[in-house]
Amino acid sequence: MTTPTKPVTSGSLLIAWQLRDKNVLIVGGGEVAAGRLEIVLGADARVTLIAPSEDLHKTIREIVDTNDRVTYHDRLFEGPEDLVGVDMALTAIDDVEESRRICEMARTRHIPINCADIPPSCDFYFGSQIRRGPLQILVSTDGNGPKIAHLIRRRIENVLPDDVEQTVLNVGRLRAKLRKRAPGVGGMLGKRRMGWMIKVSTQWSLEELAALDDLMMEKLLDEGWEKNAVPNDQAQALAASNA
Amino acid sequence: MTTPTKPVTSGSLLIAWQLRDKNVLIVGGGEVAAGRLEIVLGADARVTLIAPSEDLHKTIREIVDTNDRVTYHDRLFEGPEDLVGVDMALTAIDDVEESRRICEMARTRHIPINCADIPPSCDFYFGSQIRRGPLQILVSTDGNGPKIAHLIRRRIENVLPDDVEQTVLNVGRLRAKLRKRAPGVGGMLGKRRMGWMIKVSTQWSLEELAALDDLMMEKLLDEGWEKNAVPNDQAQALAASNA
């Protein structure tokens, strides 16, 4: 028997980074770069992509041609001037030495960087991801095996209701409607609002929440919020409003 | 019927941030600060916590007394000098104006910051988290409702095998053992290693992988890797090795 191998690190900080209108630099034009491009565009970033056009991945070419949030330069990375105004940098090139060089430049400028295939040079990793509209899930195994992260991700996907995206959107809409009915920040009202939302979210199933439409939401607010109650389920809420 | 409310942003970039031996500043000493302290220590950070001792949360007091990775200052945040050498900053104080001021100072210094309760000031959010040893899962609903993130998290927790932590650790150990038997970076051997690990991880259930011990791993490598095969399951691997 041998001693269990110690993992490289014992944990990461999992966070939802805000990229809206931030400038992301991607160096590289292959398959990995294409995946990175899609994922950062999904977080509303503005992207500058630097890669010679000879080897540009089909997906990148399509996005560059149609998405005005992407600026494309048909050339190699040139130097520090390519990092001016950059909020986050990603490299996905075969040249390990060049990737390390870019990493060092970014680090001295406090620009967070991920270098594909060079874990020790990375400020962050991507892990295995699920996206269903506003719902995002990240699975990280701390370097113990990307495949096992995929398997766990698949198990999670199997347990998410098909309409979970609608559940999340509806809860957001219900909250917004409630804040409109009972406006104001903090205080007793804020607490009552939060308490009521928690009750609805816990008493109703994810599937029931997904089935709410605008009319139902208004009824739920009339019969629930206004009367300081929470109908146990959708059927009860509808019955009450039709009584 | 009204138009659906547009979410605040349409997405975040979910990432596993590397904090090992990085310096994290936490300003605040209440319950939220206590939670932040635990989560960044779980990512192997070094922490400086600034908060007057009068209102220090019990958990923080305990950690400060026992964990030598935490430096505690019994005072209020003073100014830019408190940000020197800081890699990430977190505020969790009731004073919104002071929190915004710290946020601005951090931003001009390119220090990533999260200000509790002031979403627009945050570079990143924490979302709802699951941790089972090296396995970490983040659920983010993009501001549509923290409670719904908790509910989805609970549904995920229910579907994770009890010993999923062991599954992840074992896959990491098996990979390390394989790299020891067949060392070298990249090339054909690297591809064969990766292919074999993928086969084992997909053909075996998470539960079977969790049950592997060191002896079993060696047998699996003898009967599988060495013979360029993957036993369909644990029972078959054991039977082959005992034949």
Side-chain angles (χ1 to χ4, degrees):
Chain A
M1 294 265 179
T2 58
T3 325
T5 311
K6 209 195 160 299
V8 181
T9 74
S10 70
S12 311
L13 185 73
L14 266 50
I15 49 181
W17 195 267
Q18 299 308 297
L19 274 186
R20 167 162 281 242
D21 294 332
K22 295 285 173 69
N23 299 311
V24 176
L25 172 69
I26 299 178
V27 181
E31 192 178 345
V32 174
R36 302 288 197 246
L37 178 59
E38 288 182 308
I39 209 172
V40 296
L41 285 175
D44 301 318
R46 297 185 182 280
V47 182
T48 301
L49 191 140
I50 299 180
S53 60
E54 303 94 84
D55 304 312
L56 212 60
H57 192 274
K58 198 166 84 37
T59 307
I60 297 181
R61 202 176 295 275
E62 282 167 16
I63 295 175
V64 162
D65 286 346
T66 56
N67 191 321
D68 62 8
R69 299 183 75 83
V70 184
T71 306
Y72 169 61
H73 298 298
D74 176 7
R75 59 169 171 85
L76 293 169
F77 179 87
E78 283 172 359
E81 63 275 19
D82 282 335
L83 289 168
V84 174
V86 167
D87 298 300
M88 171 176 278
L90 312 172
T91 71
I93 51 178
D94 288 330
D95 185 341
V96 174
E97 280 318 305
E98 174 68 353
S99 203
R100 285 210 182 101
R101 206 173 64 92
I102 298 170
C103 169
E104 286 311 311
M105 280 183 221
R107 190 142 298 137
T108 57
R109 285 160 182 80
H110 293 282
I111 300 168
I113 186 161
N114 172 285
C115 301
D117 295 327
I118 321 180
S121 292
C122 292
D123 289 314
F124 58 91
Y125 305 132
F126 288 100
S128 197
Q129 311 231 353
I130 299 173
R131 174 125 196 204
R132 300 271 191 90
L135 176 66
Q136 295 180 268
I137 298 171
L138 173 65
V139 178
S140 162
T141 57
D142 200 33
N144 278 281
K147 189 64 199 174
I148 202 72
H150 285 289
L151 288 177
I152 293 166
R153 184 190 73 184
R154 214 193 296 157
R155 202 173 271 215
I156 293 172
E157 282 176 327
N158 288 339
V159 81
L160 292 177
D162 287 340
D163 48 11
V164 69
E165 170 172 354
Q166 201 55 49
T167 303
V168 173
L169 287 171
N170 282 354
V171 170
R173 284 162 65 195
L174 186 61
R175 275 176 94 204
K177 280 175 188 290
L178 177 55
R179 265 192 303 247
K180 218 167 154 185
R181 269 191 198 220
V185 176
M188 285 305 291
L189 184 64
K191 281 210 179 97
R192 207 195 128 205
R193 266 200 322 249
M194 202 199 292
W196 189 80
M197 279 304 303
I198 288 177
K199 273 191 197 146
V200 174
S201 311
T202 9
Q203 287 184 25
W204 289 36
S205 69
L206 297 179
E207 289 79 0
E208 281 174 330
L209 291 164
L212 280 173
D213 61 21
D214 278 290
L215 198 63
M216 267 299 296
M217 287 186 201
E218 294 299 340
K219 282 180 183 170
L220 178 58
L221 288 164
D222 290 342
E223 300 301 319
W225 170 257
E226 301 295 351
K227 297 179 182 170
N228 210 0
V230 176
N232 274 328
D233 55 31
Q234 233 189 33
Q236 201 187 332
L238 261 180
S241 68
N242 293 331
Chain B
M1 295 267 178
T2 57
T3 326
T5 312
K6 207 195 160 301
V8 182
T9 74
S10 69
S12 311
L13 185 73
L14 267 50
I15 49 180
W17 195 266
Q18 299 308 296
L19 275 186
R20 167 163 281 241
D21 294 332
K22 295 285 174 69
N23 298 311
V24 175
L25 172 70
I26 299 178
V27 182
E31 192 178 345
V32 175
R36 301 289 196 247
L37 178 59
E38 288 183 308
I39 208 171
V40 295
L41 284 176
D44 301 319
R46 299 185 179 280
V47 182
T48 300
L49 191 140
I50 299 180
S53 60
E54 304 93 85
D55 304 314
L56 211 59
H57 192 276
K58 197 166 83 38
T59 307
I60 297 181
R61 202 176 295 274
E62 282 168 13
I63 294 175
V64 162
D65 286 344
T66 55
N67 191 320
D68 62 7
R69 300 182 74 84
V70 184
T71 306
Y72 169 62
H73 297 299
D74 176 7
R75 60 170 171 84
L76 293 169
F77 178 87
E78 284 173 357
E81 63 275 18
D82 282 335
L83 289 168
V84 174
V86 168
D87 298 299
M88 171 176 278
L90 313 172
T91 71
I93 51 178
D94 288 332
D95 185 339
V96 174
E97 281 317 307
E98 175 67 355
S99 204
R100 285 210 182 99
R101 207 174 61 91
I102 298 170
C103 169
E104 286 312 311
M105 278 183 224
R107 189 141 300 135
T108 56
R109 286 161 182 78
H110 294 281
I111 299 168
I113 185 161
N114 172 285
C115 301
D117 295 329
I118 322 178
S121 292
C122 292
D123 289 314
F124 58 92
Y125 305 132
F126 288 100
S128 198
Q129 311 232 352
I130 299 173
R131 173 125 197 204
R132 302 272 190 89
L135 176 66
Q136 295 182 268
I137 298 171
L138 173 65
V139 179
S140 162
T141 59
D142 201 32
N144 278 280
K147 189 64 199 171
I148 203 71
H150 285 289
L151 289 176
I152 292 166
R153 184 191 71 183
R154 214 191 296 156
R155 201 172 272 217
I156 293 171
E157 282 175 329
N158 288 339
V159 80
L160 292 177
D162 288 339
D163 48 10
V164 70
E165 170 173 353
Q166 201 54 50
T167 304
V168 173
L169 287 172
N170 282 355
V171 170
R173 283 162 64 196
L174 186 60
R175 275 176 95 205
K177 280 175 188 290
L178 177 55
R179 267 191 302 246
K180 219 165 152 187
R181 270 193 198 220
V185 176
M188 285 306 291
L189 184 65
K191 282 209 177 98
R192 207 195 128 204
R193 265 199 324 248
M194 202 199 290
W196 189 81
M197 279 305 301
I198 288 177
K199 273 190 199 145
V200 174
S201 311
T202 10
Q203 287 184 23
W204 288 36
S205 71
L206 297 180
E207 290 78 0
E208 281 175 327
L209 291 165
L212 280 173
D213 61 20
D214 277 291
L215 198 62
M216 267 301 296
M217 287 187 201
E218 295 300 339
K219 281 179 184 171
L220 178 57
L221 288 165
D222 290 340
E223 300 301 319
W225 170 257
E226 301 295 350
K227 298 179 182 170
N228 210 2
V230 176
N232 273 328
D233 56 31
Q234 235 187 32
Q236 201 186 328
L238 261 180
S241 68
N242 292 333

